[in-house]
Amino acid sequence: MNACPCGSGLALEACCGPYLHEGKTVPTPEALMRSRYTAHTLGMYDYLDETTHPDTREDVSTEEMRAWSEAVQWEGLEVLETRGGHEGDVTGEVSFVARYMLGGVPQELREDSFFRREGDRWYYVDGMVHGSEPYRREQPKVGRNEPCPCGSGRKYKKCCGK
């Protein structure tokens, strides 16, 4: 039994496999999110393209998706929250964290994904990626051997840099 990469604890054949390999209809946005993660791990980029909403499909490059996905080692998916996506709903949201390694460095992708149902099919529409803003210095960096900015006349390393 091969465990499904989506982290459900089920075998691939009992979880995402029927959507990926047999074309079965995905019942919820969460199941679609899990199957899309699994498609990334298995290199099934056509599935990712097919499950992207037709209105936004042109915004997605399968080749860029392939290049990025093949550059990382997928480590796991954690679904944080789902909203909507029930029977009778036409929209749904899934918040998740996908963990991966890039160049041996652990990374996380935190996203709120938005889904839309058309007929009996759910599609990925868009996502809002969460990230931290990089630290920006307000002052230029002072080198160790430069004069201390406090005005003491000593080198920075012997004054405020101690």
Side-chain angles (χ1 to χ4, degrees):
M1 171 181 108
N2 287 339
C4 190
C6 80
S8 67
L10 299 172
L12 177 63
E13 300 78 27
C15 190
C16 296
Y19 313 131
L20 296 166
H21 302 297
E22 301 168 25
K24 298 241 177 173
T25 302
V26 181
T28 65
E30 180 179 351
L32 181 57
M33 181 68 250
R34 289 182 177 282
S35 68
R36 287 175 59 86
Y37 173 84
T38 299
H40 271 289
T41 68
L42 300 177
M44 299 182 72
Y45 307 105
D46 289 340
Y47 179 81
L48 295 167
D49 189 54
E50 293 164 10
T51 58
T52 300
H53 193 276
D55 290 348
T56 59
R57 206 171 279 164
E58 290 181 11
D59 300 338
V60 179
S61 164
T62 304
E63 288 309 311
E64 287 177 8
M65 204 175 348
R66 176 187 309 271
W68 181 76
S69 190
E70 289 178 351
V72 304
Q73 177 185 338
W74 295 101
E75 298 287 320
L77 174 71
E78 178 183 357
V79 173
L80 304 173
E81 182 180 7
T82 61
R83 293 173 293 287
H86 306 289
E87 189 174 326
D89 289 343
V90 294
T91 62
E93 298 177 28
V94 178
S95 297
F96 70 91
V97 175
R99 292 179 178 81
Y100 59 95
M101 298 284 279
L102 179 61
V105 179
Q107 305 283 326
E108 285 188 348
L109 170 65
R110 165 80 168 78
E111 182 177 310
D112 296 333
S113 293
F114 305 100
F115 300 86
R116 185 179 317 149
R117 181 184 1 223
E118 295 203 356
D120 64 346
R121 288 196 64 186
W122 283 101
Y123 292 96
Y124 171 79
V125 176
D126 197 5
M128 182 177 72
V129 176
H130 296 264
S132 58
E133 289 293 316
Y135 173 76
R136 305 236 189 263
R137 294 181 193 279
E138 293 185 22
Q139 307 274 336
K141 184 176 179 181
V142 179
R144 292 175 30 89
N145 289 317
E146 293 181 28
C148 190
C150 75
S152 67
R154 296 187 290 177
K155 289 183 179 183
Y156 177 71
K157 68 181 177 184
K158 295 285 186 177
C159 189
C160 295
K162 264 187 171 177

